[in-house]
Amino acid sequence: MELLYHMPTKIYFGTECVGKNSGEFSRWGKQALIVTGRRSAQASGALGDIQKALSQQGVGWTVFDQVEENPTLATAEAGGLLARQAKADMVIGIGGGSPLDAAKAVAVLAVNDISAGGLFDGNFAVRPLPVLAVPITAGTGSEVTPYSVLVDTERQSKRSFGHPDIFPKAAFLDARYTNSLPWQVTINTALDALSHSLEGYVSMKASILSDSLALESMRCFGKTIPSLTSRSLDLQDREQLLYTSMLGGMVIAQTGTTMVHSLGYPLTIFRDIPHGRANGVLLAEYLRFIQPVIPEKVESVLSALGLQTIDECKTLFRELLGGPEILTAKEIEEFTLIAIQTPNIANTARKPSLDDLRQIFRDSVSVSPV
Ligand code: NAP
Ligand code: FE
């Protein structure tokens, strides 16, 4: 048996974990750049808690609150510049995946004289500033991954870079911060979390260890299905979802994502479909596609979720996501050609042809003639 497992992030999980562990912040620096979206950090209560904790520890801070959904290279550069001006020696990301991923890129750009496009080469002369992460969606699991996904507007594509030095040093997971999420974002992000554990479980890079995390993650998601369908989440459900998401991140940190993320990226870039929703739309047909080569694993996915069949799975996701996405035949053609070029495809258990990808799109959405 061979195994490689690297997950260096210290995890604090639980109500008031920021306030109870404020000493962690002063371990990493004296001046923080706090990287957030425009409203969510404040609305969730996380920003206030962090500022209080930093004050207690005598750590100064500057806030960069310009991170948009699906952050661009330009945003990462602006954050890197502000970090230099503020003489920041650590970066605290508060947000959904967008601010957390931006925080990782900012941590590199703050100390390396490279353009944001250079991030994808992965050769940083100087070790990035330490990153601390506070997830407020459940979610991307970015608080425990070495990845940052950025939009390259010139290439019109989503590109990710991964480096062991951008694993957050510590993550603070307090499910109360997800109370302020709009319902649709709760659903979209929950399906992203599920997508990570599910894709990781069936990935070519899956291991016995990542499988145990993935199964636990899918079981946790399964427990929340009744609350998700009745649209009533209590704190316990929210903790289950945050835990699902964290475990999903720990899984993809080892296995990477697969075809679902490849197909989902063009839906986000060209049709503005939120990341998690894009994955959720495609998941059931993905399971159907890989079933012939790994039937026992697909069976385990369904059983972890407490479901009997792929059709039941599809109905559930449709119910959670609401109305089908509508794509034109031309869009399907274009998105297929983009998706086949992404590296995540190689992690898929069954090698897809262009025809397979087209078919998965067709079976997952409604196709309009024009
Ligand atoms: P997001 O893009 O960070 O946020 C989506 C929306 O939800 C934003 O409008 C945000 O507001 C709002 N929001 C977030 N948390 C909130 C809260 N607690 N209360 C109220 N509103 C809140 O969403 P996400 O799905 O978490 O992140 C998606 C990004 O992560 C994508 O770019 C995706 O590619 C990336 N991703 C990264 C990894 C990884 O391993 N690094 C894995 C999967 C996905 P604000 O604009 O005010 O923040
Ligand atoms: Fe994702």
Side-chain angles (χ1 to χ4, degrees):
M1 184 165 113
E2 272 186 47
L3 207 51
L4 172 68
Y5 185 78
H6 180 64
M7 212 301 284
T9 306
K10 186 189 273 186
I11 292 166
Y12 295 100
F13 192 113
T15 296
E16 291 178 28
C17 61
V18 168
K20 286 178 185 163
N21 301 287
S22 61
E24 185 66 38
F25 294 96
S26 47
R27 285 190 61 210
W28 297 103
K30 295 216 157 317
Q31 183 66 34
L33 182 76
I34 302 179
V35 176
T36 73
R38 301 216 166 90
R39 282 173 300 272
S40 58
Q42 200 155 17
S44 64
L47 181 60
D49 286 354
I50 291 287
Q51 288 172 330
K52 198 168 154 204
L54 294 179
S55 295
Q56 273 171 5
Q57 296 297 322
V59 177
W61 72 83
T62 304
V63 177
F64 176 65
D65 62 0
Q66 296 302 309
V67 183
E68 68 278 64
E69 280 183 57
N70 308 302
T72 60
L73 296 179
T75 299
E77 275 175 3
L81 188 62
L82 185 59
R84 284 173 190 233
Q85 288 164 351
K87 300 197 171 18
D89 53 8
M90 66 199 260
V91 179
I92 302 176
I94 307 177
S98 297
L100 297 188
D101 285 5
K104 294 172 180 175
V106 166
V108 178
L109 296 174
V111 287
N112 286 279
D113 294 322
I114 54 170
S115 69
L119 291 168
F120 303 111
D121 303 333
N123 295 323
F124 324 127
V126 184
R127 183 175 284 232
L129 296 181
V131 177
L132 304 178
V134 185
I136 60 173
T137 62
T140 65
S142 180
E143 70 277 8
V144 289
T145 73
Y147 309 128
S148 167
V149 187
L150 301 168
V151 174
D152 185 337
T153 10
E154 251 169 54
R155 290 198 191 190
Q156 288 202 302
S157 67
K158 272 197 140 185
R159 300 174 71 193
S160 62
F161 76 97
H163 195 285
D165 287 345
I166 61 167
F167 262 115
K169 301 294 181 202
F172 298 83
L173 297 95
D174 184 335
R176 295 173 312 152
Y177 299 149
T178 65
N179 277 330
S180 53
L181 280 170
W183 183 253
Q184 207 50 56
V185 183
T186 299
I187 296 295
N188 295 343
T189 48
L191 287 176
D192 188 30
L194 173 63
S195 193
H196 295 159
S197 41
L198 193 160
E199 286 181 75
Y201 184 64
V202 296
S203 162
M204 294 296 280
K205 293 194 197 148
S207 72
I208 185 171
L209 181 52
S210 63
D211 278 359
S212 67
L213 298 171
L215 282 170
E216 179 62 6
S217 175
M218 290 187 280
R219 276 188 222 111
C220 285
F221 180 92
K223 283 186 209 154
T224 68
I225 291 175
S227 306
L228 287 171
T229 50
S230 63
R231 297 173 69 109
S232 60
L233 294 179
D234 59 18
L235 184 63
Q236 217 180 345
D237 295 316
R238 290 191 178 278
E239 288 194 327
Q240 287 292 315
L241 287 173
L242 195 57
Y243 191 57
T244 298
S245 155
M246 183 198 81
L247 292 173
M250 289 166 72
V251 171
I252 58 167
Q254 314 304 316
T255 64
T257 55
T258 68
M259 199 170 94
V260 175
H261 274 64
S262 305
L263 294 170
Y265 285 157
L267 295 181
T268 300
I269 292 277
F270 298 103
R271 288 293 309 274
D272 235 5
I273 298 173
H275 174 69
R277 178 177 173 86
N279 294 339
V281 163
L282 298 158
L283 270 181
E285 290 305 328
Y286 170 67
L287 281 178
R288 217 186 297 282
F289 175 70
I290 54 174
Q291 189 177 37
V293 291
I294 41 170
E296 66 302 326
K297 275 212 151 179
V298 171
E299 195 54 47
S300 303
V301 167
L302 293 172
S303 131
L305 292 173
L307 301 172
Q308 307 291 326
T309 63
I310 294 176
D311 284 336
E312 199 186 337
C313 206
K314 189 163 180 171
T315 307
L316 169 71
F317 296 158
R318 271 272 165 91
E319 187 187 337
L320 293 176
L321 290 168
E325 287 299 336
I326 302 170
L327 297 186
T328 65
K330 185 163 169 275
E331 283 172 326
I332 290 181
E333 192 54 34
E334 288 165 3
F335 298 170
T336 299
L337 293 173
I338 293 169
I340 197 114
Q341 292 173 41
T342 55
N344 331 36
I345 289 272
N347 296 338
T348 307
R350 178 178 167 197
K351 191 170 186 285
S353 66
L354 277 173
D355 263 347
D356 293 327
L357 296 183
R358 266 184 215 110
Q359 198 56 45
I360 288 172
F361 270 132
R362 282 195 201 114
D363 292 341
S364 303
V365 302
S366 288
V367 187
S368 82
V370 279

